[in-house]
Amino acid sequence: MQLTRPAILGGAPILTDPVPLARPTLDADPDLLATFRDVLSSGIVTKGRHLAELEREVADFLGVGHAVLVSSCTSGLMLTLRCLDLHGEVVLPSFTFMASGHAVVWNGLEPVFADIDPHTFAVDPERVADEVTDRTAALLAVHTFGSPCDVDALAKIAAERGVPLVVDAAAAFGGRYPDGSPVGGRGTAEVFSLSPTKPFTTGEGGIVATNDGELARELRVGRDYGNAGDYDSRFVGLNARMPELSAVLGRHHLPLLPALIERRQELADRYRAGLSGLPGIGFQRVPPGARSTYKDLCLTVSASGFGLDRDTLAAALRAEGVATRAYFDPPLHRQTAYRRFAASGKSLPHSEELAGRALAVPLYSHLPEHLVDRICEVVRRIHEHAAEITARTAPDAG
Ligand SMILES: *Cc1c(COP(=O)(O)O)cnc(C)c1O
């Protein structure tokens, strides 16, 4: 095929309509709209029957004892740590979305960052073990980009120290562990996000999945200000309820989710095939037998192999009409809000290196295959012109 010039060098953009990074796949069929109408005319728009039924349906889907629906993953993590009544330090990765750390700090707990495995992008259990001290109150792991972390190794460390293991499973609803079991049933609790960039969305929302009945009861009180019903608050909770209309959205879309995850897997495989053999481009390693939700497909870009660094590739793709995001850059320990933590100055070499190289590319269930092919084609084209792009964009190019 004749390679035309990349748009960043003045060629015509490969896409006339820009491709976004993520879009929810929502089904607005007449049944759903009729249920919305019923809820609206009933006047029960919070704490209604759809919330209770979605909690049962989600618990069945995940194979867990309890699914407590909340307003977001952030509030679910905040309440989980609050209900566990923790004091001291929480060991967590720095290479994650900021909300993982925020939940720790909102509870007056001190974040202690552990480095990641550079291949799986998940927190490295050996590095976690290094950070455990007699001040450690909990471990907080993350299923990065929807790929399951090594929860068994982490659970062992948590059990040895006698502390809970909480999992930020924000991106992983619909994922599976290497043994085939659904993400959601491990650790003390696994907490999901239902915000619109995630594979399963209710507009906004979250789920705390747990097999601990006592914790589930506390969480239900906690999402209601800490009020068990007698207006004598047991502890300082939140208003973290999921609205009834969101629960209706969730009930409608839950049965559709397995096909949407399947489709994300196919598109991720298509990207891997389309970019295979391209120097300097790598992918997250999903543990053998596990299933990632591919909330994001993050490439790694090595400048020495590809010929351009991550940020220059992102700029070149933007010129073509392809949205990307540099997840998670900066990592938490380099963010302004975390400067006051003494250990935030410590070096986490794999987290820092990956933050400088990772690039999420467009992926959502209804993204057409031919657009994946075009994006792969344009990444190749940009690579072919790497030297020229470097000469053109270097600061001393004039
Ligand atoms: C999206 C996300 C969150 C935040 O979820 P909300 O529902 O928006 O609060 C937390 N952690 C990770 C890893 C995420 O990807």
Side-chain angles (χ1 to χ4, degrees):
M1 183 188 314
Q2 173 74 42
L3 288 183
T4 57
R5 289 171 65 70
I8 198 169
L9 292 175
I14 194 162
L15 296 165
T16 40
D17 292 322
V19 183
L21 186 68
R23 279 289 178 274
T25 302
L26 295 169
D27 175 66
D29 81 359
D31 281 354
L32 174 63
L33 301 182
T35 313
F36 278 155
R37 237 189 328 267
D38 290 347
V39 168
L40 294 177
S41 59
S42 77
I44 311 290
V45 289
T46 191
K47 299 205 271 190
R49 81 174 172 89
H50 291 285
L51 180 83
E53 293 190 9
L54 182 59
E55 288 197 333
R56 268 192 295 277
E57 288 160 6
V58 165
D60 282 352
F61 184 93
L62 297 175
V64 296
H66 311 274
V68 180
L69 296 180
V70 288
S71 55
S72 68
C73 176
T74 307
S75 65
L77 288 168
M78 287 166 67
L79 283 173
T80 301
L81 298 176
R82 172 65 46 102
C83 292
L84 292 169
D85 196 21
L86 307 174
H87 306 275
E89 299 175 350
V90 176
V91 181
L92 77 160
S94 172
F95 187 79
T96 178
F97 186 62
M98 58 185 77
S100 316
H102 289 6
V104 171
V105 177
W106 267 97
N107 276 289
L109 296 157
E110 189 164 342
V112 173
F113 296 113
D115 210 358
I116 51 164
D117 176 300
H119 306 291
T120 64
F121 305 176
V123 74
D124 183 340
E126 287 185 30
R127 299 287 80 77
V128 170
D130 290 346
E131 300 297 345
V132 170
T133 69
D134 55 8
R135 288 193 26 83
T136 304
L139 309 184
L140 178 62
V142 181
H143 297 315
T144 311
F145 305 133
S147 177
C149 68
D150 189 351
V151 79
D152 292 335
L154 293 162
K156 196 155 164 276
I157 298 165
E160 277 162 12
R161 167 78 190 118
V163 298
L165 167 64
V166 176
V167 188
D168 178 344
F173 193 94
R176 288 188 179 273
Y177 286 112
D179 68 2
S181 63
V183 167
R186 306 292 181 86
T188 306
E190 297 203 56
V191 186
F192 298 98
S193 170
L194 305 179
S195 80
T197 64
K198 317 294 178 179
F200 177 44
T201 185
T202 54
E204 295 286 355
I207 301 163
V208 185
T210 182
N211 288 307
D212 179 337
E214 180 56 33
L215 176 60
R217 262 190 303 281
E218 291 271 300
L219 286 163
R220 291 198 170 97
V221 173
R223 74 178 168 188
D224 227 1
Y225 319 98
N227 174 18
D230 60 3
Y231 291 83
D232 172 19
S233 55
R234 300 293 192 275
F235 57 93
V236 177
L238 292 171
N239 175 353
R241 297 184 297 259
M242 175 186 284
E244 191 70 353
L245 290 171
S246 288
V248 169
L249 267 183
R251 293 191 73 199
H252 184 78
H253 286 93
L254 184 60
L256 308 176
L257 184 71
L260 298 186
I261 301 277
E262 192 89 357
R263 172 81 184 149
R264 297 176 88 96
Q265 171 81 56
E266 285 165 15
L267 294 173
D269 289 346
R270 201 171 181 93
Y271 268 114
R272 283 178 196 263
L275 296 172
S276 75
L278 196 52
I281 297 293
F283 296 92
Q284 180 180 19
R285 183 195 294 157
V286 176
R291 184 168 73 188
S292 175
T293 60
Y294 287 102
K295 185 266 169 186
D296 291 294
L297 179 71
C298 261
L299 311 179
T300 59
V301 184
S302 137
S304 58
F306 187 72
L308 297 171
D309 64 16
R310 186 268 315 273
D311 293 337
T312 310
L313 173 57
L317 285 171
R318 195 178 320 120
E320 305 286 353
V322 179
T324 61
R325 189 157 303 150
Y327 274 137
F328 295 106
D329 189 19
L332 265 63
H333 72 292
R334 294 286 184 237
Q335 292 184 16
T336 305
Y338 288 82
R339 279 200 194 129
R340 65 193 177 88
F341 298 101
S344 68
K346 120 176 132 187
S347 155
L348 297 165
H350 294 310
S351 301
E352 283 160 26
E353 152 109 358
L354 183 59
R357 291 198 295 134
L359 189 68
V361 292
L363 186 67
Y364 44 93
S365 302
H366 57 284
L367 175 66
E369 285 167 7
H370 74 90
L371 287 183
V372 172
D373 297 344
R374 304 213 76 188
I375 292 168
C376 292
E377 180 193 325
V378 82
V379 171
R380 285 183 183 279
R381 182 192 297 177
I382 290 165
H383 168 67
E384 304 290 336
H385 291 78
E388 205 183 330
I389 292 171
T390 302
R392 186 72 76 86
T393 56
D396 59 350

